[in-house]
Amino acid sequence: MSASGGGPPTASGSAGVAVADTDRDVFIDALPASMRIEASARWATHGARLASIWRRLYAGRSDTGQLVALLQGVAAAAAARPEDLRALDRARSAAPGWFQTQGMIGYSTYVDRFADDLRGVAARVPYLQSLGVRYLHLLPFQAARQGDNDGGFAVRDYDAVEPTLGSAADLDALTARLRAADISLCADLVLNHTADDHAWALAARSGDACYRAFYHVFPDRELPDRHARTLREVFPLTAPGNFTHVDGLGWVWTTFYPYQWDLDWSNPDVFCAMALTLLRMANRGIEILRLDSAAYLWKREGTDSRNQPETHAILQMLRALVALAAPAVLLKAEAIVPSRELPPYFGDGAAAGRECHLAYHSTLMAATWAALAEQRGDILTHVVGQTPALPQHCAWVNYVRCHDDIGWQVLATEAAGYDPPAPFSLARIARFYAGEEPGSYARGRNFQHLSAGVAYGSNGMAAALAGIDAALANADAPALRLAERRLLLLYGIAMAAAGMPLIYMGDELALGNDVAFADDPGHTAEGRWLQRPRMDWMLAASAESETGGAADATVASRVLAGLRRLITVRRATPALAADVPMRAIKADSRALFSLARGDDFVALFNLGATPVAVPALPGCAGRSAHDLLADTTATWPTTLAPYDMRWWSVR
Ligand code: OTU
């Protein structure tokens, strides 16, 4: 049952509970002798922490035996880790900033939409290499629920590959292939919920009390109604409410779809089961775990049950056990929450740098789209100004689009206005991207509802939102050139900002909306399939064979060439490594956004539809610079065409 009442314990600090030496002994004794020296060193930093957080979080709910079983399980996972991955552990422990280089470019895609199955993905590794990709996020490929499964986010078996996508052997072959190509595989670990046909859920249904306690199950509506007063809805239209009645069981907490049952992380058995699941995935060669819906793990009455301190405690324990048993592995928080709630996912206070290595900068992403619609670079100046420097060996994930909607609510605070007060209307921005505002070039659609002036989210591929689909439909060449520039501008921002940039499949070819998605009976009701098209390999081949600048070049080849240019320049620019701090430079024109990295990189982006004259190098008057994208010497005054950008190396 969910925790409620009482003050939240803090996730950090070492208050109170003494950690017995026996915790260490339990862990070390369970390891083969050859591993003990290395493990002792890791224990000193991470093991004691894990045990002390555990004791604080699960005080009163667990006995010593459970912690012993967990530590033995972690030791068994460490011992079972294949030798090649252990070598990776050693290499990365010696260079913990390995993922922060400016050469880390990510790519995110569904397996089936990209290449039918895991073998197909392996065959496309050369394509990924040609883009400079160094980490590949494959959306859920674990055995999914039969029937509707939220694009795989309703997992039936964490340890099995979805049969339609391949076998365990295919996954092993893929991870080996990717590692040989210096590409890290990132996979989802859906932490918040399982499918309702997961073995645990089936056991709960059939009356097993132990597994019923894996979920939040209520006999009647009393507690659900109390929680509901302060909960929000993630899918208000397609999955209203947060609880689902299950015959013979009662009311089950279902934050997302009714068939996605929220796990009860206040039950230490759930922690143990999921923690060991994580380590098994790590031992399969998955190098980055995308912790899906990380914000929702702990429920507290009177709150929206997001971002609770206990959620951070749980993530810190997961981090500690990764550090003990699979230190090469990175944890990436998927928390689509307001900007002030994001930095804690890296750990704060005494726990700084001890939670996730990575987190999506969902606010910067949404702000980029807002800035484009409003033609206001100052929105980005503000968001970057509010983005704190991160603890060592932590990085943002910067992106333009993903498989989900662009959720506008993460910008609610920013939209309400700041200093100087200049609010913006999220509802208007949503209408803009749905093509419902005068002068809109966008061909997106609203996600869920847009009622009483409240914006929810926007669907659509980046190319469609940036105007490419409309320009192609109207055979309007000048509009097409502007739209291409917008798409590259968005990627120019994501690639210049501090963090690891992620390309969403198809954006490199300006792939448009999948307007036929509703013809698939399984997808009709889910608008997010608009941005989940199939990869167009014919287009990829033709874009490759054309030269970007040629008169007969297509939009795909021009966008591909433009994106490659950004990647190539980024790779050659040390100031763009993830750990070089970023700062925004206040620009004279409201349409401009100026971003500096370190002391020798400045970028300028024109979010507006009119040219802007720039009298001098922003923030560095008197210094000279090289125009990195054009590879020319920069001169001033200069004019930024509509939606144009510059990346300068300052001397
Ligand atoms: C995540 O999403 C996934 O990215 C979605 O594809 C899944 O449907 C969902 O979890 C459930 O597994 O808020 O932090 O469009 O941004 O559902 C978790 C809304 C999430 C998504 C939201 C999201």
Side-chain angles (χ1 to χ4, degrees):
M1 207 101 338
S2 62
S4 55
T10 53
S12 55
S14 55
V17 200
V19 177
D21 267 357
T22 52
D23 294 335
R24 179 189 169 282
D25 296 344
V26 165
F27 178 67
I28 301 293
D29 291 352
L31 287 167
S34 61
M35 293 180 72
R36 290 185 185 161
I37 293 179
E38 205 175 24
S40 295
R42 289 183 194 161
W43 178 272
T45 334
H46 308 285
R49 234 183 102 65
L50 169 63
S52 91
I53 298 176
W54 168 282
R55 288 209 167 82
R56 233 174 312 128
L57 191 66
Y58 293 129
R61 279 212 60 160
S62 72
D63 51 38
T64 315
Q66 254 173 327
L67 180 56
V68 167
L70 174 66
L71 295 176
Q72 286 171 339
V74 176
R81 192 151 166 83
E83 185 44 51
D84 54 341
L85 296 178
R86 270 194 242 172
L88 205 62
D89 289 339
R90 283 189 288 271
R92 290 184 179 166
S93 299
W98 66 273
F99 60 96
Q100 296 183 303
T101 82
Q102 65 274 20
M104 283 302 278
I105 303 287
Y107 192 88
S108 173
T109 185
Y110 285 96
V111 171
D112 58 341
R113 306 254 132 190
F114 182 62
D116 297 329
D117 55 20
L118 292 175
R119 284 189 199 195
V121 174
R124 294 297 182 182
V125 166
Y127 175 77
L128 298 171
Q129 285 180 297
S130 77
L131 275 176
V133 168
R134 294 278 312 283
Y135 79 101
L136 174 65
H137 169 218
L138 294 178
L139 283 145
F141 52 77
Q142 290 157 318
R145 179 180 187 271
Q146 308 282 337
D148 276 1
N149 56 38
D150 190 17
F153 282 99
V155 177
R156 179 166 51 88
D157 183 350
Y158 292 96
D159 291 306
V161 170
E162 163 60 30
T164 56
L165 301 178
S167 64
D170 294 338
L171 178 58
D172 291 341
L174 177 63
T175 55
R177 176 79 185 83
L178 288 171
R179 208 162 332 111
D182 206 12
I183 299 174
S184 295
L185 179 60
C186 170
D188 283 277
L189 175 53
V190 186
L191 291 180
N192 178 68
H193 44 265
T194 72
D196 63 356
D197 62 357
H198 188 286
W200 303 336
L202 296 179
R205 273 183 209 268
S206 67
D208 184 324
C210 176
Y211 285 105
R212 195 175 54 226
F214 267 48
Y215 302 95
H216 298 271
V217 180
F218 307 91
D220 53 42
R221 286 290 313 189
E222 193 202 328
L223 278 172
D225 285 341
R226 271 163 47 189
H227 280 285
R229 277 182 223 137
T230 48
L231 288 175
R232 298 146 188 257
E233 296 171 306
V234 179
F235 303 133
L237 211 70
T238 51
N242 283 273
F243 301 91
T244 299
H245 190 264
V246 177
D247 283 343
L249 200 57
W251 290 90
V252 179
W253 197 310
T254 56
T255 298
F256 297 90
Y257 279 105
Y259 52 76
Q260 289 164 310
W261 292 10
D262 288 34
L263 287 163
D264 184 354
W265 284 82
S266 74
N267 177 353
D269 286 337
V270 167
F271 181 88
C272 291
M274 292 302 282
L276 298 181
T277 297
L278 188 163
L279 293 181
R280 284 193 298 274
M281 288 174 73
N283 282 356
R284 287 226 92 114
I286 290 159
E287 297 182 26
I288 304 171
L289 287 152
R290 175 187 180 276
L291 305 180
D292 182 67
S293 314
Y296 294 86
L297 305 186
W298 199 272
K299 323 295 189 193
R300 170 169 282 107
E301 197 187 324
T303 74
D304 61 3
S305 291
R306 300 182 186 186
N307 313 307
Q308 296 298 308
E310 293 87 347
T311 292
H312 291 291
I314 288 162
L315 296 174
Q316 286 166 28
M317 286 198 288
L318 293 178
R319 170 63 180 271
L321 56 96
V322 161
L324 286 174
V329 166
L330 303 181
L331 300 183
K332 174 167 74 165
E334 193 259 349
I336 312 302
V337 296
S339 52
R340 67 173 179 284
E341 304 284 3
L342 281 173
Y345 285 89
F346 297 102
D348 51 16
R354 296 192 182 276
E355 203 166 312
C356 296
H357 304 79
L358 300 164
Y360 286 91
H361 202 328
S362 42
T363 301
L364 183 62
M365 182 279 293
T368 306
W369 287 104
L372 184 68
E374 297 288 287
Q375 304 190 38
R376 277 181 54 183
D378 65 324
I379 295 174
L380 286 163
T381 307
H382 175 75
V383 167
V384 168
Q386 297 293 305
T387 300
L390 297 182
Q392 207 187 14
H393 306 136
C394 289
W396 296 109
V397 175
N398 292 315
Y399 60 121
V400 173
R401 284 297 286 118
C402 71
H403 66 291
D404 286 329
D405 58 307
I406 305 169
W408 299 116
Q409 284 310 307
V410 297
L411 285 178
T413 310
E414 286 79 1
Y418 43 87
D419 186 25
F424 49 94
S425 160
L426 294 173
R428 190 157 62 100
I429 292 169
R431 283 197 305 273
F432 183 87
Y433 285 115
E436 294 165 359
E437 283 286 304
S440 171
Y441 46 73
R443 289 288 177 273
R445 295 183 196 170
N446 287 314
F447 181 52
Q448 302 293 320
H449 65 178
L450 180 65
S451 67
V454 175
Y456 194 86
S458 295
N459 285 321
M461 288 293 282
L465 299 175
I468 290 178
D469 289 26
L472 286 173
N474 300 333
D476 183 339
L480 186 58
R481 290 308 181 115
L482 274 184
E484 288 168 24
R485 237 190 260 155
R486 285 186 208 109
L487 181 55
L488 289 172
L489 179 80
L490 295 158
Y491 270 96
I493 293 169
M495 297 234 176
M500 283 166 63
L502 199 51
I503 299 167
Y504 183 58
M505 186 212 83
D507 285 354
E508 73 273 27
L509 300 171
L511 222 58
N513 286 338
D514 184 9
V515 286
F517 80 89
D519 299 345
D520 182 330
H523 299 161
T524 315
E526 233 304 347
R528 289 177 295 171
W529 288 95
L530 189 63
Q531 59 261 8
R532 300 168 183 178
R534 290 197 168 277
M535 180 58 165
D536 187 338
W537 288 108
M538 299 264 277
L539 185 66
S542 65
E544 195 66 63
S545 63
E546 291 160 2
T547 39
D552 61 348
T554 58
V555 52
S557 66
R558 288 190 300 262
V559 167
L560 183 62
L563 197 62
R564 282 219 169 107
R565 181 76 195 138
L566 291 172
I567 293 167
T568 306
V569 172
R570 185 186 147 93
R571 217 168 20 209
T573 306
L576 295 181
D579 57 348
V580 178
M582 68 175 166
R583 61 184 192 285
I585 303 172
K586 212 166 174 312
D588 297 329
S589 156
R590 202 154 98 143
L592 291 182
F593 165 52
S594 177
L595 179 77
R597 303 287 309 278
D599 57 12
D600 61 359
F601 178 89
V602 174
L604 196 59
F605 304 91
N606 181 4
L607 279 299
T610 48
V612 182
V614 181
L617 182 61
C620 316
R623 293 170 74 182
S624 65
H626 188 75
D627 181 326
L628 291 167
L629 296 174
D631 196 14
T632 55
T633 300
T635 53
W636 287 273
T638 186
T639 297
L640 252 70
Y643 310 114
D644 204 359
M645 68 179 139
R646 298 275 194 285
W647 286 10
W648 287 303
S649 163
V650 183
R651 283 188 279 256

